[in-house]
Amino acid sequence: MGSAAPRSALLLLLLLLRAERLRGSELTFELPDNAKQCFHEEVEQGVKFSLDYQVITGGHYDVDCYVEDPLGNIIYKETKKQYDSFTYQAEVKGVYQFCFSNEFSTFSHKTVYFDFQVGDEPPILPDMGNKVTALTQMESACVTIHEALKTVIDSQTHYRLREAQDRARAEDLNSRVSYWSVGETIALFVVSFSQVLLLKSFFTEKRPVNRAVRS
């Protein structure tokens, strides 16, 4: 009886470790100006996939995005979006292509994050509905913990992106303030020097030139 609790805890840990995430990819990449970057993923027919993306740094934080099916049809297209989500159920089997374009920008370098997921997440306990055992309460707690961990992961990703975006904006604002301060300092020295010269010209005594008049 004393070893039942450790075995239950060990089983819970194994179930959490065996919980598989749905197939997909998560990436943050650099997108130069006048450039386009495409990614490819093979999807089976009838399988659902989703795409979430967000521009972290650069310009007005916008990017063009489109998704193309294996037949070359555009199933999703948005222009100059800061962030967006797209979900689609594949009608044909093959390689789907999703691209991010910064071709409309001539000098703004962008940093883009995307999360591409394929398929539905498998249940953590496939036989939980058909099993009636002494571990039913433990299995229920396992599912609850798993869902909570998923929420934590999503929240961490969201706040990480927000932190990166806010840091980039703060650094950009700091550089602009620094340049403005340098410009104001130079302008102040120029104006001060000009005023000194002007005041000096006011107090400079002009001596008249006497000319000898011959009679």
Side-chain angles (χ1 to χ4, degrees):
M1 295 295 293
S3 61
R7 289 180 180 177
S8 300
L10 179 61
L11 178 60
L12 173 61
L13 179 61
L14 291 176
L15 289 173
L16 289 175
L17 293 177
R18 289 182 59 187
E20 300 179 355
R21 291 178 61 91
L22 58 164
R23 181 168 60 92
S25 56
E26 186 178 6
L27 182 66
T28 301
F29 66 97
E30 301 288 338
L31 186 62
D33 53 281
N34 293 315
K36 181 175 70 174
Q37 184 71 44
C38 294
F39 303 88
H40 306 80
E41 185 74 29
E42 185 174 0
V43 183
E44 299 289 335
Q45 183 178 6
V47 176
K48 184 183 297 184
F49 65 85
S50 63
L51 172 65
D52 300 294
Y53 64 91
Q54 179 178 341
V55 180
I56 302 177
T57 62
H60 296 286
Y61 301 89
D62 53 354
V63 71
D64 295 343
C65 179
Y66 70 88
V67 181
E68 186 178 288
D69 67 6
L71 302 179
N73 300 319
I74 303 297
I75 58 178
Y76 170 83
K77 184 177 182 181
E78 290 290 345
T79 58
K80 295 186 178 181
K81 295 284 289 186
Q82 294 184 352
Y83 59 89
D84 200 10
S85 299
F86 172 68
T87 302
Y88 183 77
Q89 187 170 2
E91 298 180 355
V92 294
K93 176 184 177 181
V95 177
Y96 285 75
Q97 175 180 260
F98 55 101
C99 299
F100 300 94
S101 174
N102 194 30
E103 295 174 321
F104 61 87
S105 179
T106 56
F107 57 88
S108 296
H109 189 86
K110 308 290 178 62
T111 302
V112 182
Y113 162 86
F114 74 86
D115 183 13
F116 188 82
Q117 301 294 340
V118 180
D120 295 324
E121 185 175 4
I124 185 174
L125 301 173
D127 301 329
M128 186 180 62
N130 301 326
K131 289 176 59 178
V132 180
T133 65
L135 295 177
T136 302
Q137 185 176 1
M138 182 63 69
E139 291 172 347
S140 177
C142 180
V143 173
T144 302
I145 294 175
H146 178 63
E147 294 297 328
L149 289 176
K150 286 172 53 181
T151 303
V152 170
I153 292 174
D154 293 340
S155 298
Q156 286 181 337
T157 302
H158 171 73
Y159 288 119
R160 187 178 72 248
L161 293 176
R162 286 291 302 273
E163 188 272 335
Q165 191 176 61
D166 292 343
R167 183 177 66 251
R169 289 180 176 177
E171 291 176 353
D172 180 64
L173 180 61
N174 179 64
S175 62
R176 292 185 180 184
V177 171
S178 299
Y179 291 142
W180 180 260
S181 300
V182 171
E184 281 190 334
T185 302
I186 295 175
L188 180 62
F189 275 112
V190 171
V191 172
S192 300
F193 185 72
S194 301
Q195 289 179 345
V196 170
L197 293 179
L198 183 61
L199 291 175
K200 185 178 180 181
S201 65
F202 288 160
F203 293 98
T204 300
E205 182 180 359
K206 296 182 180 180
R207 298 179 180 179
V209 178
N210 296 324
R211 294 180 179 179
V213 180
R214 296 181 180 181
S215 56

